[in-house]
Amino acid sequence: MTVPLPRVEPDLSSVVTLSQNGAKGRYGVSYVRSIVSQAGVGFTETPPDEDVLAVDGTVDFAVASARVQIKCTAGFSIAGKSATWQSELHWREQWSQSLLPVYFVLVILDVDDRPQWINHHESGTDHRAAAFWVRVNQTETGDKIRIPKAQRLTADVLRLWHQEVEACFTPAA
């Protein structure tokens, strides 16, 4: 009988250039980008100094793009009914002006310890994260955004987002 050796995380302290929050921000955008890619749709990231519309990127459908604000945290569990995120007034002001859908995506990391966010093993790679979303430019959010955990971000959700974008160009009956 073979006893598995304990997993030893490499010491990356000599190569780290991002703060913990900076790494979470990059991970959140990358995680969303991977789901959008799985759906076969493009994603364009907003340059950091040009984040004047309070969006981190756009999901690029053929007809038009949906806007996305992404936050990443280990401050919630993946399980549960919802999470609440503090919003900023200038975000809400920018979102309310958009005629196209604006989605708030919360990427929740199962653990705060950076080396454990992703597990590489023989049969693949697992992410210890999940993303949830809510549309924020058509509802009154106040200073808190409630993100239902029933609204998990998956590749299938991009069909709904596409329909909502198309609906912006369909005359009301």
Side-chain angles (χ1 to χ4, degrees):
M1 179 169 136
T2 307
V3 176
L5 297 173
R7 184 174 164 193
V8 177
E9 297 297 334
D11 179 12
L12 299 175
S13 60
S14 65
V15 298
V16 169
T17 59
L18 295 173
S19 68
Q20 183 75 352
N21 281 341
K24 284 179 186 172
R26 297 307 317 145
Y27 182 88
V29 170
S30 297
Y31 187 88
V32 170
R33 185 185 290 272
S34 70
I35 292 170
V36 172
S37 177
Q38 182 187 23
V41 178
F43 182 88
T44 302
E45 187 173 354
T46 304
D49 292 339
E50 297 176 21
D51 190 8
V52 296
L53 299 176
V55 293
D56 293 312
T58 57
V59 176
D60 304 318
F61 300 112
V63 67
S65 298
R67 296 174 173 172
V68 183
Q69 173 72 19
I70 304 165
K71 295 297 176 189
C72 184
T73 183
F76 299 100
S77 70
I78 292 172
K81 294 185 185 224
S82 68
T84 304
W85 193 269
Q86 187 73 32
S87 70
E88 296 182 21
L89 177 60
H90 76 276
W91 295 355
R92 296 188 307 272
E93 290 172 345
Q94 294 300 321
W95 298 339
S96 69
Q97 293 178 40
S98 180
L99 298 178
L100 294 169
V102 180
Y103 300 100
F104 183 88
V105 175
L106 183 62
V107 177
I108 298 176
L109 294 160
D110 191 36
V111 293
D112 199 36
D113 187 28
R114 187 180 344 196
Q116 294 183 33
W117 295 350
I118 301 172
N119 180 25
H120 303 281
H121 50 84
E122 258 185 51
S123 60
T125 301
D126 299 325
H127 291 256
R128 295 185 64 186
F132 306 91
W133 65 277
V134 64
R135 186 167 175 181
V136 290
N137 68 313
Q138 285 192 329
T139 57
E140 182 61 40
T141 60
D143 63 344
K144 295 190 188 316
I145 302 167
R146 185 181 165 278
I147 307 100
K149 300 268 185 84
Q151 291 184 183
R152 179 101 177 243
L153 183 62
T154 65
D156 288 337
V157 167
L158 278 283
R159 278 193 216 108
L160 171 64
W161 288 11
H162 181 259
Q163 290 170 354
E164 290 186 354
V165 168
E166 281 187 324
C168 295
F169 300 96
T170 305

